[in-house]
């Protein structure tokens, strides 16, 4: 009788081959990840995800309930409220301290919003998927961590 | 900078199978899985300068991918997820390059056997499918990475793996797949 661990590894090797055939990485995925490096070289201050209502609200979820996100960086805090319905998102945000800014949304479909002097901005038809906000302030650019909505 | 870009490309190529396996271990469909895959890599690019231990990058990616998967699942968007193995069955799709390579006559039997193995795998319980799908990453992930990807204790992985592979062998034996 063969050693069971040897059989285990054989079976895993076969499963690995099966996954490569029946469940491969989608084409184009690799290139999108390679391209992410170009974004990294763009100089921007990183605003880290400090709060995500999805992490907190066990049982409080579902369509129609907005997702609340807070991203913090030393110069600015970005608060977002995102409601997803019908495959697109409605986004309401504000900058703290309040200030005007150009807000670029990097994602499947790039969008540009404008924060008013009170730091408020909003946008419709945000495509779901991976996205990051870049806030262009007079003296610097702040980029949020990427998240999936 | 050229060297850095090349190193990044090598990193992406080396660890993409792991990230994709984490995504599929959590049973995200292809569209959502792709978004999570991208989020994980974009986020790593942002954090690259801060990661002090290069040999922890795989575990960092595995853990980040897991958390994004859980959030996407929790957001309760309508996900065409199902326990139905047909969802994952791509036999009717266009052949991938990997498939084309083994389309030859003499490989047809081998392919049929792998397909039956793939079907049997989808009959396992959720816990087993999750672990085994992750272990299918190429190269095989370390138990540390598996633990990060699934939120399991490192010590529990060996016994679960053993049990799941036994179950799979039993299923294959019942179906006469050798």
């Amino acid at each position: 009788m063969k050693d069971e661990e040897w059989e285990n590894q054989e079976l895993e090797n076969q499963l690995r081959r099966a996954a490569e055939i029946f469940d491969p990485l989608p084409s184009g995925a690799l290139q999108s990840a390679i391209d992410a490096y170009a974004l990294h070289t763009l100089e921007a201050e990183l605003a880290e995800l400090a709060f995500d209502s999805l992490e907190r609200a066990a049982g409080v979820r579902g369509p129609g309930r907005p997702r609340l996100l807070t991203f913090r960086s030393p110069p600015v805090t970005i608060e977002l409220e995102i409601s997803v319905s019908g495959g697109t998102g409605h986004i309401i945000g504000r900058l703290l301290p309040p200030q005007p800014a150009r807000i670029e949304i990097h994602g499947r479909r790039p969008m540009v919003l404008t924060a008013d002097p009170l730091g408020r901005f909003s946008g419709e038809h945000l495509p779901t998927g991976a996205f990051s906000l870049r806030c262009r302030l007079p003296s610097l650019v702040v980029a949020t961590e990427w998240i999936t909505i | 900078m050229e060297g850095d870009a090349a190193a990044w490309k090598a990193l992406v190529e080396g660890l993409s199978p792991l990230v994709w396996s984490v995504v599929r271990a959590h049973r995200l469909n292809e569209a959502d899985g792709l978004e999570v895959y991208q989020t994980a890599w974009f986020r790593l690019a942002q954090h690259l300068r801060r990661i002090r231990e290069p040999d922890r990058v795989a575990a960092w990616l595995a853990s980040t991918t897991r958390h994004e998967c859980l959030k996407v699942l929790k957001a309760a968007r309508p996900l065409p997820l199902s326990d139905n193995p047909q969802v994952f069955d791509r036999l009717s799709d266009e052949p991938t390059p990997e498939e084309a390579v083994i389309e030859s006559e003499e490989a047809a039997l081998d392919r049929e056997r792998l397909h039956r193995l793939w079907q049997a795998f989808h009959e396992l319980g959720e816990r087993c499918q999750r672990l085994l799908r992750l272990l299918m990453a190429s190269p095989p992930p370390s138990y540390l990475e598996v633990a990060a990807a699934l939120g399991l204790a490192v010590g529990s992985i060996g016994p679960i793996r053993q049990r799941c592979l036994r179950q799979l062998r039993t299923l294959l034996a019942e179906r006469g797949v050798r």
Side-chain angles (χ1 to χ4, degrees), chain A residues 4-5 8 12 14 16-17 23 33 36-37 40 48 52 54-55 61 108 130 144-146 148, chain B residues 4 8 35 39 42-43 45-47 50 68 71 74 110 113 133 135 137 161-162 166 169:
Chain A
E4 183 168 10
E5 179 51 27
N8 283 345
E12 277 180 350
Q14 290 178 13
R16 194 164 296 117
R17 285 183 58 216
D23 190 15
Y37 188 76
H40 140 81
E48 292 194 58
D52 185 342
L54 266 189
E55 280 175 27
R61 54 174 158 150
R108 199 186 301 161
T144 69
E145 274 191 303
W146 284 82
T148 320
Chain B
D4 287 352
W8 172 260
E35 299 295 343
T39 296
F42 289 164
R43 199 180 287 178
Q46 290 179 318
H47 283 271
R50 304 161 183 220
E68 283 303 306
K71 284 187 191 181
K74 209 173 173 187
D110 182 47
R113 197 182 48 75
R133 182 62 188 86
L135 292 172
R161 166 181 176 266
Q162 183 79 13
R166 273 189 194 148
R169 264 199 294 275

Side-chain angles (χ1 to χ4, degrees), chain B residues 9-106:
Chain B
K9 186 164 181 281
L11 191 66
V12 170
E13 286 170 349
L15 292 177
S16 275
L18 172 65
V19 175
W20 187 243
S21 291
V22 178
V23 164
R24 298 303 293 226
H26 287 87
R27 299 177 159 220
L28 264 62
N29 64 40
E30 187 164 308
D32 285 324
L34 201 46
E35 299 295 343
V36 168
Y37 167 90
Q38 290 181 341
T39 296
W41 284 108
F42 289 164
R43 199 180 287 178
L44 176 64
Q46 290 179 318
H47 283 271
L48 204 52
R49 276 171 291 187
R50 304 161 183 220
I51 293 178
R52 297 269 173 262
E53 300 167 81
D55 54 344
R56 299 282 304 194
V57 167
W60 188 95
L61 265 175
S63 170
T64 299
T65 307
R66 167 176 182 256
H67 282 110
E68 283 303 306
C69 286
L70 294 179
K71 284 187 191 181
V72 166
L73 292 172
K74 209 173 173 187
R77 286 199 273 130
L79 297 171
L81 272 181
S82 128
D83 288 335
N84 182 348
Q86 299 309 315
V87 170
F88 299 93
D89 184 350
R90 298 197 187 177
L91 268 192
S92 55
D93 291 359
E94 288 289 299
T96 65
E98 290 85 349
E99 288 177 274
V101 167
I102 63 160
E103 282 304 337
S104 59
E105 284 274 326
E106 63 267 31

